Amino acid sequence: MKSYNALNDYYRRLFGEKTFKVPIDAGFDCPNRDGTVAKGGCTFCTVSGSGDAIVAPDAPIREQFYKEIDFMHRKWPEVRKYLVYFQNFTNTHDRVEVLRERYEQAINEPGVVGINIGTRPDCLPDETIAYLAELSERLHVTVELGLQTTFEETSHIINRAHSYELYVETVKRLRRFPKIEIVSHLINGLPGETHEMMVENVRRCVTDNDIQGIKLHLLHLMTNTRMQRDYHEGRLRLLTKEEYVAIICDQLEIIPKHIVIHRITGDAPRDMLIGPMWSLNKWEVLNAIESEMRRRGSVQGCKAKEQKLIC
């Protein structure tokens, strides 16, 4: 049994069996790229966004869905339940009519039990939230909100182009509809952030906000990103595996046990990754985190204020 509230276990409890997240590129842009709020995008983002691993990103949405599940069924042929994950760029960055037309191309397919929507806190006007609330009466709805950092100085360095205050406000507006779950995304290893700052990012995220899940990413330095310049000019130091494991364990200890851990490491295409190269050995990283939690005698939330368990 894992020392934290893992996503696979949560989905098994919720849907009664193993469930796939099916990533989709629905052709949305980002307000941080097209000039709506800024230009150039976040400095860590590649020209193709977060969907570098999507099987057929240029295919029509319904075709993408079936290509993805065909690929996944090679390893897990028994799975028959799916969550459609609108992943790439900002998937609420358009009019509600456009969102409805694109979402409906996939969510009505057989076996679909939910929808996950990757977006930003500055792209959720009231009419969009009302539509998501409508969807939440039909299927499981999760909004994955990119936050990345709670520190304004870091946000400026990475060209995030929205404030932590706006994030907090957006979470409150979403939680007026209790069936909409919120997952916060944070990145460990951003330029200038110390171990203590990364732990503080998580503390603020889980104490200031009513969220149901969290994704903890390792910063992957990729080709075709503006962050390459920071690295080559000495303003960015990549984390070692030992540092990352220690950070994650400290973060897990302060996350209340009811919050689902959607990710504690990530994947990056080998041919695009500048570093850290140790991150390519994903299972080694996951095993190292679990081993360190056992060595400490820790479990998720053992240092959260709402719990009495002592590490």
Side-chain angles (χ1 to χ4, degrees), residues 66-83:
Y66 281 103
K67 284 182 179 292
E68 288 286 346
I69 64 173
D70 286 347
F71 179 77
M72 293 174 176
H73 282 156
R74 297 175 193 175
K75 187 172 183 180
W76 295 284
E78 75 284 0
V79 175
R80 290 295 179 268
K81 288 186 179 179
Y82 314 104
L83 295 131

Side-chain angles (χ1 to χ4, degrees), residues 157-175:
I157 289 170
I158 65 175
N159 195 41
R160 188 65 191 161
H162 70 74
S163 66
Y164 177 57
E165 182 181 5
L166 175 61
Y167 174 85
V168 173
E169 176 192 340
T170 302
V171 170
K172 289 177 180 177
R173 290 170 54 238
L174 282 165
R175 290 302 292 155

Side-chain angles (χ1 to χ4, degrees), residues 211-229:
I211 63 171
Q212 291 65 56
I214 194 164
K215 272 188 177 179
L216 301 172
H217 299 260
L218 168 67
L219 174 67
H220 289 121
L221 181 61
M222 308 284 280
T223 58
N224 301 318
T225 62
R226 296 166 64 191
M227 192 170 280
Q228 283 180 267
R229 180 181 297 178

